[in-house]
Amino acid sequence: MIDRLLAIIAPHRCYGCGDEGAILCDCCKNDIFETPFTTCVVCREPTAQDNLCSRHTLPYTRLWCVAKREGVLEAVIDGYKFRRVRAAADVLAELLDTSLPDLGPNVVVVPVPTAPRNVRIRGYDHMVLVARALAKRRGWRVSPLLKRQTNATQHFAKTAVVRRKQAKHFFAVRGTIEPDVPHLVIDDIFTTGSTIEAAADCLKRAGAAEVWIGVIARQ
């Protein structure tokens, strides 16, 4: 409700062209869709299906990415995460929704949880809001099955090795895993993949048979 009132009093300007009325106008959304991420997100090699090639042994089997983290998409993500542009959650969910194929009706959306310190700073868990908006579009369920165990963030990790060591201790499962239901883990940015891999591994060890990944941008 507050976001709707603010949009009337102080309407957003498009991050792409500057036109008043929306965070991203239809034309600027289409510009992102016209340059999708078409290679393997992990190694950047060409891939025949989705954004994951067959050379990798990972705790997830499918992965989709909207686009590279650059230009307008980077600006929207940064505005959402660092300048409290909360309404961007719906825009990012729409971009992710458009990039996903038909996955059926029984998907459980699992947001990668934000470090508690960052939730306090922003006033919201940014991936939970995106997960809810995405699930609403697809008629899916959201389940916050992962809980964050540390306040560590990957922003200050200088190497991929450090990132992997950190990520091993990030998550624990809360609640009950439905073993025969596909779990779609979503996150905003894929850099080395250590966070996503740790999240998927945590779900697999808790009993999830099928884990898929959806990310908004590749660093």
Side-chain angles (χ1 to χ4, degrees):
M1 178 63 73
I2 292 174
D3 286 343
R4 292 196 197 99
L5 290 173
L6 287 174
I8 295 171
I9 298 168
H12 295 289
R13 288 191 175 276
C14 175
Y15 273 79
C17 63
D19 283 356
E20 188 176 278
I23 289 172
L24 269 186
C25 70
D26 289 341
C27 287
C28 291
K29 286 177 191 173
N30 288 335
D31 287 344
I32 293 173
F33 297 142
E34 287 175 0
T35 54
F37 201 92
T38 57
T39 60
C40 176
V41 170
V42 178
C43 66
R44 306 290 185 94
E45 292 295 321
T47 176
Q49 183 180 12
D50 306 328
N51 297 125
L52 187 65
C53 68
S54 59
R55 70 180 63 195
H56 308 291
T57 302
L58 297 162
Y60 51 89
T61 55
R62 304 182 75 182
L63 186 152
W64 301 273
C65 176
V66 176
K68 294 179 183 178
R69 187 190 181 192
E70 61 184 14
V72 174
L73 182 57
E74 180 175 16
V76 174
I77 292 172
D78 288 354
Y80 182 44
K81 292 180 69 174
F82 306 123
R83 290 183 288 280
R84 297 189 181 93
V85 184
R86 184 167 176 156
D90 289 336
V91 175
L92 296 175
E94 180 183 353
L95 295 176
L96 189 53
D97 177 37
T98 303
S99 301
L100 294 173
D102 182 3
L103 299 176
N106 298 319
V107 173
V108 173
V109 183
V110 183
V112 168
T114 304
R117 176 176 54 201
N118 289 340
V119 174
R120 289 193 295 270
I121 291 171
R122 292 180 189 131
Y124 53 87
D125 187 321
H126 68 293
M127 288 315 300
V128 168
L129 298 186
V130 174
R132 289 173 181 167
L134 175 63
K136 185 176 180 179
R137 285 175 165 271
R138 291 283 183 125
W140 293 336
R141 290 176 292 134
V142 177
S143 184
L145 288 166
L146 295 171
K147 65 178 181 180
R148 195 85 176 214
Q149 298 195 108
T150 75
N151 258 319
T153 64
Q154 300 268 278
H155 301 303
F156 304 107
K158 297 185 182 300
T159 67
V161 172
V162 173
R163 283 175 174 264
R164 283 193 290 271
K165 286 182 178 179
Q166 282 183 343
K168 285 181 179 179
H169 307 288
F170 276 173
F171 307 115
V173 169
R174 58 182 176 189
T176 303
I177 296 287
E178 299 174 65
D180 299 325
V181 176
H183 292 72
L184 178 67
V185 178
I186 65 166
D187 203 4
D188 54 353
I189 299 166
F190 187 111
T191 303
T192 64
S194 55
T195 299
I196 283 292
E197 186 171 346
D201 184 63
C202 195
L203 292 173
K204 292 283 285 187
R205 286 188 285 105
E210 193 75 53
V211 179
W212 301 333
I213 305 297
V215 292
I216 298 165
R218 175 59 158 99
Q219 179 66 39

